[in-house]
Amino acid sequence: MMALWAYSGERGPAHWCEKFPDANGNRQSPVNIVTKNALVDASQGPLTIDYSSARCTEIVNNGHAFQVNAQSSDTNLSGGPLLHNYRLAQFHCHWGSKDGQGSEHTIDGKHYDAELHMVHWNTDLFQTTGDALSHDKGLAVLTAFVKIGKENSGWTKLVALLNKVKCKDDKCCIEDGFDPSMLLPENKKDYWTYEGSLTTPPCYESVRFIIYREPVEISAQQIKSLRDLLSYKQSGQPESGHPEHLSDNYRPTMPLNSRVITASFH
Ligand code: 1SD
Ligand code: ZN
């Protein structure tokens, strides 16, 4: 079956709103962060991130990205700009086919090489991830930029897992689990935050983004394992006119409109 949307061509980002009207809304993501315009709010309390009970037991290639699913557990993301408790549902990345592109958000117009999204849902107000997905304050996405540089030992295990889900719909159990905190930058105090949306259809306006200022570095060899993923099924072939490799899976930045981006630091 043909995918309902894509990152280029006739079903690319400019056409998403034809099937997914929220994509035309006024609080869409990603956005360009103009650092000098961010409103400093050092009064926000610290962000609490507790992944100690995380049970990340499955990795999937969904044809748009890889995704590591977390089973229901007592992970917690709260504090900072968040008014509720959030629980980790999954994490995934967006990346480029070549250096200098791949992140969804940009900083003063500049792309990083990839962007990691830790997707959390609000367990105070909703019963399931599905309920939370389409409602304001439903999701919180903790975001880390990825930059090509030195090898990252926190990524070693992820790279090994990526090799097991090369094709669309490939799935693999992670027997001994995966500690997602290995993928976050050291400096967790400095971040930007704003109210946005899912960056993929249906583009629901349900997401509070929290974006770390400090990028994490991974090696050229490590990013290659992302670029080597395939966008089609083992038994199939690439859709005509669409890239064989899964990359450049980032949405162009969307207008900020009247939103304000807050910075946790001076
Ligand atoms: O792209 C993801 C999508 O795969 C899904 O995870 C959705 C939440 O269910 O979130 C978007 S994103 O906004 O985190 N990129
Ligand atoms: Zn994402």
Side-chain angles (χ1 to χ4, degrees), residues 203-243:
C203 300
Y204 293 140
E205 298 192 320
S206 55
V207 182
R208 159 68 64 175
F209 271 94
I210 300 171
I211 302 171
Y212 286 124
R213 178 196 204 181
E214 183 181 89
V216 297
E217 285 191 24
I218 66 172
S219 67
Q221 193 56 38
Q222 289 178 314
I223 203 156
K224 187 171 178 300
S225 65
L226 292 175
R227 293 174 179 162
D228 281 349
L229 293 177
L230 300 171
S231 61
Y232 58 95
K233 293 189 193 199
Q234 238 171 48
S235 56
Q237 52 189 13
E239 279 181 34
S240 83
H242 284 270

Side-chain angles (χ1 to χ4, degrees), residues 1-262:
M1 205 184 71
M2 212 163 63
L4 286 175
W5 57 273
Y7 281 103
S8 60
E10 291 171 347
R11 283 165 290 129
H15 297 277
W16 291 355
C17 59
E18 294 159 15
K19 288 200 192 88
F20 308 98
D22 291 42
N24 246 351
N26 56 17
R27 55 167 277 193
Q28 289 290 294
S29 294
V31 295
N32 175 40
I33 299 175
V34 179
T35 53
K36 70 170 178 20
N37 292 349
L39 188 78
V40 177
D41 183 0
S43 71
Q44 283 174 166
L47 198 59
T48 299
I49 307 162
D50 180 3
Y51 288 157
S52 57
S53 69
R55 284 185 285 137
C56 297
T57 52
E58 182 185 58
I59 183 164
V60 186
N61 174 335
N62 61 24
H64 298 297
F66 79 83
Q67 183 171 307
V68 172
N69 293 322
Q71 274 189 346
S72 180
S73 61
D74 282 333
T75 54
N76 182 262
L77 178 70
S78 58
L82 301 171
L83 302 173
H84 299 280
N85 288 291
Y86 290 77
R87 180 184 294 169
L88 183 67
Q90 46 102 338
F91 67 85
H92 62 268
C93 276
H94 304 261
W95 60 92
S97 57
K98 46 182 194 257
D99 300 3
Q101 65 191 47
S103 69
E104 299 217 284
H105 290 86
T106 52
I107 302 295
D108 295 325
K110 178 185 167 287
H111 279 277
Y112 280 98
D113 299 307
E115 183 169 324
L116 170 78
H117 285 165
M118 300 275 188
V119 181
H120 306 76
W121 62 282
N122 183 331
T123 50
D124 290 346
L125 299 183
F126 303 98
Q127 300 299 317
T128 64
T129 321
D131 284 345
L133 197 68
S134 55
H135 292 95
D136 183 32
K137 303 198 170 34
L139 300 184
V141 176
L142 190 61
T143 298
F145 290 118
V146 178
K147 166 178 161 179
I148 300 173
K150 54 180 187 297
E151 188 172 271
N152 186 327
S153 59
W155 271 65
T156 308
K157 187 166 181 180
L158 181 58
V159 166
L161 291 166
L162 291 172
N163 291 330
K164 298 183 172 175
V165 292
K166 273 265 152 69
C167 296
K168 180 171 186 240
D169 296 342
D170 285 355
K171 251 185 208 181
C172 168
C173 276
I174 311 175
E175 300 294 351
D176 47 351
F178 189 95
D179 177 4
S181 58
M182 313 267 292
L183 305 176
L184 300 180
E186 238 163 75
N187 178 347
K188 298 185 180 60
K189 288 197 320 294
D190 296 357
Y191 56 81
W192 294 281
T193 179
Y194 77 98
E195 291 194 318
S197 72
L198 301 180
T199 65
T200 53
C203 300
Y204 293 140
E205 298 192 320
S206 55
V207 182
R208 159 68 64 175
F209 271 94
I210 300 171
I211 302 171
Y212 286 124
R213 178 196 204 181
E214 183 181 89
V216 297
E217 285 191 24
I218 66 172
S219 67
Q221 193 56 38
Q222 289 178 314
I223 203 156
K224 187 171 178 300
S225 65
L226 292 175
R227 293 174 179 162
D228 281 349
L229 293 177
L230 300 171
S231 61
Y232 58 95
K233 293 189 193 199
Q234 238 171 48
S235 56
Q237 52 189 13
E239 279 181 34
S240 83
H242 284 270
E244 172 185 2
H245 284 272
L246 215 176
S247 43
D248 295 328
N249 53 356
Y250 60 96
R251 184 187 196 188
T253 55
M254 301 299 289
L256 188 60
N257 297 321
S258 57
R259 291 174 287 177
V260 172
I261 296 176
T262 301

